[in-house]
């Protein structure tokens, strides 16, 4: 082909072929033009094949040449006619190969070198009068025909031009780009080339005939296109007209290009681009006289609007922009007079609508008309000015007089979207929907922030939702790409991000993410990290909430859309029939607004910032909290009696409500979010940073705001309160105000933290009274009374009848009443209220009484499912404490171990287990607080029934159901919680009791954390241990078991302090120790056994701290002795001797007391396995009496010697018994011999050989000699 590289070695073939071609071309006439053209093409193909063959042969020969043949190579090169052999300027033909290179830099270098060489060749040709280099090399050798119109050009130049024209038709690599570049530079640099002759040569060389195949036709058409483009970009056409304005070169060029554009659809747009390239170089006069009046121009423009020709519209707009005058030729495409406002009128857009619709032919590439239209719609300067105004999202947009352009842009944009995008493209085919999305992507970056919501309209959002809700949609990938680009475009600007979020959620009714199954909105919301951006977002959410503009939920007219797909995966839809579409959006607004605060990373950076920066951050965060709080309070607590808008002159703010009444569920959600907001504020308070409570205390700010709104005549609470609730509401208000003043007086005092915690509890209760009418009035009044008793100064001037309860004789202690009241709040309260209760308890728990602590512990321990064999009147809780603590099934006392038992069961194969029970976070319970609180009933903590003793629940043989009387016998608190619910089944009651237990456990954890050294910790431990064991034997649940186990391990066993005062009695410790050891030895649950072992270590640590005398410790030793007796005699014992070994290692006084007993039991043990296991325990005790290092040998070991000497007789008897009855298994016999050897070593170290030999009987001595061998040799010599 013509575009292939022609090596210089093929010039010989060119010498023969060129004259023939020239001769044949000169003999033709018009009638035989086609035939001769075909013959010439066939000849060129044959020549190309031959040249290619010669090139390959030359290349192979050059590779095979040896270095020893330089003379032959030189001779061959000299035999090849080439311009390089002459001293005259020459053309290197290999440059044409470089023009097709994939590397753009190689192509550019080759084009520049080609121009330089051809310029030199032409210069030499002109200087020599038409001869020169070509005459030396042979003109005919370069395939230069005599009638091509290039008579004034050198043969090399003529050859180069013809080859460049043929090269642009080649589809090999980057031949079109490279050869077009070369043609542009050559034509522009050498004036001798005639443009009109070149245009004719292009037609001749790239002729298209009916006999050609499709790809060949396409290559030639594209070759013409690139050739004409080279002419236009070279500037020669404009230069020719400027030199001679009478020439018709411009019209001729326009004629051939317009003719080419009409041949194929894909040629139209690039042909228009070529015309525009030429127009850029022409003066305005030439455009009016030559371009506008060119042949074919009138017909093209006349039918463009009807058939929909975007290229004609593109050309008309570009010429209008260049000339800036109204042209009659473009009257059907452009308005008269032309202006951007007139262009984007609805009537004119409707006229040129076919042009926009037909621009889809070049998808996925976007047609050139769209960037031009977008530039007219949103001028570059206007978008930059708007960006400068909106550079800071915290500032309000102040419009100047020049700002009217933004209004014009908005109006034009609305018209454009209504007519073109929404009215045409979105209602048509998939390609045109795709085109609409692409147009949006180039339009969005240029738009002012105020216009984004115009672009992201209702139909656009619904189209996007329809596309993304169906993964099989043809446009699914296009929709994903659009969404990704949209997120990238708006991520770095708060104003744009707010506009995008509002549009996405407003037109999807708050369900964009759920419908499209993406996280787009959540990701955009998470990007608000600055206080100004958060406030801007909050204000827009407020406007969205109260906006009364109707948003239809109609789907767009997409052919691929199915309505059922739009609701797939909706997690935000709670009750669509009840709430309606509008409630979905309001629900999302209420839920999203507090989440904005989570993105403000202020608290985590307090340590690394200066005090000034920290204070600034805290103030900004408080400002965001205050804005959210005001919105939630206004929409959740109040309603306007006159209209939907109220102005507060005191606050200097205007408050709005939606015209349609807010549903009760939305109001409840506002109150719940308000409670969570106050909880987060209480958790994240930084009193050390800002001393001004008005800038750091959101609770105080809320109460002031609440009181102000209550005083506005036209504003009232959204519901009418009952007498009891209204009384409680007012008392809570008054007490909070009083405590606030007291806190201000005592800012740095100890009572300030207590007052602050009580204030937040009062605020949460106030909201609970509104949220749950009739349930919290009594508890609220009791809390108010407790506040008065805790701080008498707050009760001055307020004498209430409720205080009479405390004034009578035998009044309950303040802490008992406070604990009762706090416990009564836990079952039915929300999570934030429970957190407030925990904070109050945290600051008052140091003063808790035993009675109050027991009330809490009974709730944790209580199991509503009684034991199967329990009967009425079988006893109180105290009678069954031991059985509950052990949690084991007792076996018969005469169930002893069979003497023949080997003891190889798996029950004894477990090693000493580590600690168990991970602390479970209480968040999962708080998540269900709302649901649980709706099903629970308030607890009257001051009821006289609280003083009754707990009694066991009677069980019916026929059913597990409980009547009201039976429920009252369970526990006063639990009975109060569930009586109104009438939960008849134990499962229902148990499921409701579980969150109550978790919340009480949270209070107990606080108590243990603050008071680890109090004696009351033993009581807490005892009850928690019972509850922990019950959670295994009953239906306590895995979470409760882990929670209790975590508290025992982390807050009791691993605490830095422990009870060690004189109030701790040895009898109580012995009782606890006995229960722990029984659980460790008899429980079938590994977790119980492990916790019981840790409990034993903890109790022994307490016993050691008291420094009891040996007689006082005898009871503890007897407990260990009894446990070991059970181990030797009862096969049900699961005691791990590794645990006992660890006890002995930590507490040597137990080893001294148990050594003789172990020797006796080991010798008489019926189980061979357990006897061998006990030997390891005895050996451990012996090791503790022997010095461990050489340095300790000098120390006095007389005490150990005396102690061992007392037990030498029993030790000798044990050795005799062991050696006389050796086990059958080889491994066990080895263990026996190893033990005996270790005993002999210990006796030798303690220098008790003589005493040992005296205590050793003759038969035992003979056994030692025969079984122990060399280990007994020293003793044998001493005996002799």
């Amino acid at each position: 082909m013509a575009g292939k590289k022609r090596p210089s070695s093929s010039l010989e073939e060119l010498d023969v072929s060129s004259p023939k071609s020239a001769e044949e071309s000169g003999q033709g006439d018009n009638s035989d033009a086609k035939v001769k053209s075909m013959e010439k093409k066939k000849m060129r193909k044959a020549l190309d094949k031959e040249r290619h063959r010669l090139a390959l042969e030359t290349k192979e020969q050059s590779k095979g040449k040896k270095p020893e043949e330089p003379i032959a190579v030189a001779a061959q090169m000299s035999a090849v006619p080439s311009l390089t052999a002459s001293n005259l300027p020459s053309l290197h033909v290999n440059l044409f190969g470089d023009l097709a290179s994939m590397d753009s830099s190689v192509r550019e270098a080759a084009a520049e070198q080609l121009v330089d060489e051809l310029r030199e060749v032409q210069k030499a040709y002109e200087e020599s009068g038409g001869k020169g280099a070509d005459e030396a090399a042979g003109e005919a050798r370069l395939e230069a025909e005599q009638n091509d119109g290039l008579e004034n050009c050198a043969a090399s130049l003529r050859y180069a031009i013809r080859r460049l024209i043929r090269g642009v038709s080649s589809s090999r690599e980057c031949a079109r780009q490279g050869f077009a570049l070369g043609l542009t530079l050559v034509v522009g640099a050498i004036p001798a080339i005639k443009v009109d002759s070149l245009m004719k040569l292009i037609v001749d060389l790239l002729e298209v005939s009916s006999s050609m195949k499709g790809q060949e036709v396409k290559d030639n058409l594209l070759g013409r296109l690139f050739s004409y483009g080279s002419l236009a970009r070279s500037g020669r056409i404009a230069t020719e007209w400027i030199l001679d304005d009478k020439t018709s070169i411009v019209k001729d060029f326009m004629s051939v290009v317009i003719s080419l554009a009409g041949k194929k659809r894909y040629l139209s747009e690039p042909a228009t681009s070529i015309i525009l390239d030429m127009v850029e170089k022409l003066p305005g006069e030439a455009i009016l006289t030559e371009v506008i009046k060119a042949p074919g121009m009138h017909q093209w423009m006349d039918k463009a609007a009807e058939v929909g020709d975007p290229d004609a519209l593109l050309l008309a707009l570009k010429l209008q922009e260049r000339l800036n005058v109204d042209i009659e030729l473009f009257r059907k495409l452009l308005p008269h007079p032309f202006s951007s406002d007139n262009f984007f009128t609805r009537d004119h857009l409707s006229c040129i609508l076919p042009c926009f619709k037909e621009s889809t032919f070049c998808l996925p590439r976007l047609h050139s008309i769209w960037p031009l239209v977008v530039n007219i719609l949103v001028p570059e300067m206007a978008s930059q000015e708007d960006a400068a105004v909106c550079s800071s999202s915290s500032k309000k947009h102040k419009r100047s007089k020049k700002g009217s352009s933004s209004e014009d842009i908005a109006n034009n944009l609305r018209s454009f979207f209504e007519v073109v995008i929404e009215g045409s493209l979105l209602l048509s085919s998939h390609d045109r929907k795709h085109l609409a999305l692409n147009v949006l992507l180039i339009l969005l970056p240029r738009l002012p922030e105020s216009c984004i919501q115009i672009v992201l309209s209702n139909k656009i959002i619904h189209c996007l939702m329809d596309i993304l809700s169906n993964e099989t949609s043809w446009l699914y990938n296009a929709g994903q790409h659009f969404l990704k680009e949209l997120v990238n475009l708006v991520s770095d600007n708060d104003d744009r991000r707010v506009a995008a979020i509002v549009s996405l959620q407003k037109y999807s009714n708050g369900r964009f993410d759920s419908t499209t199954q993406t996280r787009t909105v959540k990701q955009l919301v998470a990007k608000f990290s600055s206080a100004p951006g958060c406030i801007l977002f909050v204000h827009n959410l407020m406007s969205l909430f109260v906006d009364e503009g109707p948003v239809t939920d109609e789907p767009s007219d997409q052919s691929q859309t199915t309505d059922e797909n739009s609701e797939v995966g909706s997690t935000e839809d709670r009750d669509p029939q009840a709430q309606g579409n509008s409630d979905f959006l309001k629900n999302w607004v209420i839920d999203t607004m507090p989440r904005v605060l989570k993105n403000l990373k202020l608290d985590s950076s307090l340590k690394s910032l200066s005090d000034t920066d920290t204070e600034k951050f805290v103030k900004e965060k408080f400002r965001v909290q205050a804005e959210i709080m005001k919105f939630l309070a206004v929409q959740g607590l109040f309603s306007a009696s006159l209209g939907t808008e109220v102005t507060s002159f005191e606050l200097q703010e205007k408050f709005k409500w939606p015209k349609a009444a807010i549903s009760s569920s939305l109001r409840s959600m506002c109150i719940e979010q308000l409670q969570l907001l106050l909880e987060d504020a209480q958790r994240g308070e930084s009193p050390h940073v800002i001393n001004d409570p008005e800038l750091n205390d959101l609770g105080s700010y809320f109460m002031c705001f609440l009181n102000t709104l209550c005083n506005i005549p036209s504003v009232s609470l959204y519901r009418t309160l009952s007498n009891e609730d209204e009384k409680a509401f007012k008392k809570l208000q008054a007490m909070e105000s009083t405590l606030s003043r007291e806190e201000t007086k005592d800012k740095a005092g100890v009572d300030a933290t207590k007052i602050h915690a009580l204030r937040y509890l009062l605020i949460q209760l106030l909201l609970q009274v509104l949220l749950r009418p009739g349930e919290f009035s009594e508890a609220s009044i009791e809390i108010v009374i407790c506040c008065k008793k805790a701080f008498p100064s707050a009760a001055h001037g307020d004498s209430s009848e409720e205080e009479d309860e405390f004034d009578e004789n035998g009044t309950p202690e303040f802490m008992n009443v406070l604990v009762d009241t706090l416990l009564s709040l836990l079952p039915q309260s929300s999570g934030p209220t429970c957190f407030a209760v925990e904070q109050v308890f945290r600051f008052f728990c140091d003063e808790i009484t035993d009675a109050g602590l027991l009330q809490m512990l009974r709730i944790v321990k209580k199991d509503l499912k009684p034991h199967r064999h329990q009967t009425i009147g079988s006893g109180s809780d105290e009678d069954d404490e031991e059985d509950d603590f052990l949690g084991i099934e007792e076996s018969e006392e005469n169930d002893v171990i069979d003497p023949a038992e080997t003891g190889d069961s798996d029950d004894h194969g477990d090693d000493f287990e580590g600690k168990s029970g991970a602390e479970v976070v209480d968040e999962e319970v708080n998540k269900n607080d709302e649901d649980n609180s709706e099903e629970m009933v308030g607890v009257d903590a001051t009821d006289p029934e609280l003083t009754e003793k707990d009694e066991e629940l009677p069980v019916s043989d026929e059913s597990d159901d409980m009547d009201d009387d039976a429920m009252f016998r369970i526990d006063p608190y639990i009975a109060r919680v569930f009586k109104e619910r009438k939960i008849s089944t134990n499962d229902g009651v148990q499921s409701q009791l579980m969150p109550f237990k978790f919340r009480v456990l949270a209070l107990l954890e606080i108590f243990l954390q603050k008071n680890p050294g109090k004696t009351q910790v033993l009581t807490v431990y005892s009850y928690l241990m019972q509850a922990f064991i019950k959670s295994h034997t009953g239906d306590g649940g895995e979470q409760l078991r882990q929670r209790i186990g975590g508290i025992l391990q982390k807050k009791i066993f691993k605490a830095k302090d422990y009870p060690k005062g004189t109030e701790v009695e040895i009898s109580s410790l012995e009782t606890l120790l006995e229960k722990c050891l029984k659980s460790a030895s008899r429980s079938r649950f590994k977790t119980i056994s492990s916790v019981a072992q840790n409990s034993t270590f903890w109790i022994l640590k307490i016993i050691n701290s008291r420094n009891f005398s040996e007689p006082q410790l005898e009871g503890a030793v007897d407990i260990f002795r009894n446990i070991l007796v059970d181990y030797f005699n009862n096969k049900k014992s699961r005691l791990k001797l590794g645990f006992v070994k660890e006890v002995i290692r930590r507490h040597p006084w137990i080893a001294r007391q148990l050594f003789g007993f172990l020797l006796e039991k080991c010798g008489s043990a019926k189980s061979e396995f357990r006897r061998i296991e006990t030997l390891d325990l005895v050996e451990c005790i012996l090791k503790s009496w022997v010095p461990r290092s050489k340095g300790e040998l000098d120390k006095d070991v007389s005490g150990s010697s005396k102690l061992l000497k007392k037990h030498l007789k029993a030790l000798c008897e044990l050795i005799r018994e062991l050696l006389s009855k050796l086990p059958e298994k080889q491994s066990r016999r080895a263990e026996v011999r190893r033990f005996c050897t270790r005993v002999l070593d210990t006796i030798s170290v303690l220098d008790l050989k003589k005493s040992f030999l005296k205590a050793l009987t003759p038969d035992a001595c003979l056994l030692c000699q025969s079984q122990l061998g060399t280990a007994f040799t020293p003793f044998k010599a001493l005996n002799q």
Side-chain angles (χ1 to χ4, degrees), residues 622-775:
F622 181 80
R623 184 185 170 196
V624 178
Q625 289 175 329
E627 292 295 322
I628 297 174
M629 181 274 298
K630 288 187 288 186
F631 167 78
L632 294 175
V634 169
Q635 304 301 330
L637 304 180
F638 296 98
S639 61
S641 57
L642 300 175
T644 60
E645 187 173 314
V646 173
T647 301
S648 172
F649 297 101
E650 182 178 351
L651 298 175
Q652 297 182 353
E653 288 189 64
K654 184 182 293 185
F655 304 105
K656 291 183 179 181
W657 288 265
K659 291 181 180 179
I662 303 176
S663 64
S664 58
S665 61
L666 286 178
R667 290 189 183 275
S668 299
M669 188 176 181
C670 285
I671 298 175
E672 292 166 1
Q673 291 293 340
L674 184 56
Q675 287 183 304
L676 290 172
L677 181 66
L678 292 169
E679 177 192 354
D680 292 339
Q682 188 179 6
R683 288 179 185 270
E685 283 177 339
S686 304
H688 61 282
V689 177
I690 299 179
N691 296 324
D692 188 357
E694 295 184 358
L695 297 178
N696 194 34
D697 189 353
L698 187 65
S700 177
Y701 189 88
F702 165 71
M703 291 304 297
C704 293
F705 182 78
L706 178 71
N707 295 331
T708 302
L709 287 185
C710 288
N711 294 330
I712 299 177
S714 59
V715 176
S716 60
L717 294 175
Y718 77 99
R719 70 168 64 192
T720 302
L721 300 178
S722 63
N723 294 334
E724 293 79 7
D725 287 344
E726 185 176 3
K727 180 180 177 181
F729 186 85
K730 292 181 178 179
K731 284 186 174 293
L732 289 171
Q733 275 184 298
M735 180 52 63
E736 194 281 332
S737 178
T738 305
L739 291 180
S740 181
R741 292 192 296 270
E742 292 295 324
E743 183 181 1
T744 304
K745 294 178 183 178
D746 188 19
K747 291 183 179 179
V750 179
D751 292 337
T753 53
K754 294 182 178 180
I755 294 174
H756 190 74
L758 281 171
R759 281 183 50 241
Y760 268 87
L761 178 58
L762 294 174
I763 296 172
Q764 294 287 359
L765 286 176
L766 185 143
L767 295 174
Q768 285 290 95
V769 169
L770 295 173
L771 184 63
R772 307 280 295 280
E775 298 184 16

Side-chain angles (χ1 to χ4, degrees), residues 1098-1150:
W1098 181 70
I1099 294 172
L1100 289 174
K1101 183 169 62 173
I1102 298 174
I1103 293 175
N1104 283 342
S1105 67
R1106 290 294 311 277
N1107 296 321
F1108 291 111
S1109 60
E1110 286 193 6
Q1112 291 176 309
L1113 297 175
E1114 188 62 33
V1117 176
D1118 289 339
I1119 295 171
F1120 276 96
R1121 190 177 290 113
N1122 294 334
I1123 291 298
L1124 290 173
V1125 169
D1126 182 68
Y1127 172 75
F1128 286 114
N1129 297 335
N1130 197 333
K1131 66 179 182 180
K1132 293 293 185 181
S1133 176
R1134 294 181 173 88
L1135 183 67
K1136 302 294 188 298
L1137 286 189
F1139 158 65
V1140 181
K1141 183 177 178 180
E1142 183 66 19
V1143 171
I1144 289 174
R1145 187 188 65 79
R1146 297 186 185 185
H1147 308 282
W1149 57 273
I1150 298 179

Side-chain angles (χ1 to χ4, degrees), residues 1145 1148 1180 1183-1193 1245:
R1145 187 188 65 79
C1180 178
K1183 282 183 180 180
S1184 64
W1185 294 346
V1186 177
R1188 298 182 180 179
S1189 61
K1190 295 182 179 180
E1192 295 180 355
L1193 292 174
V1245 173

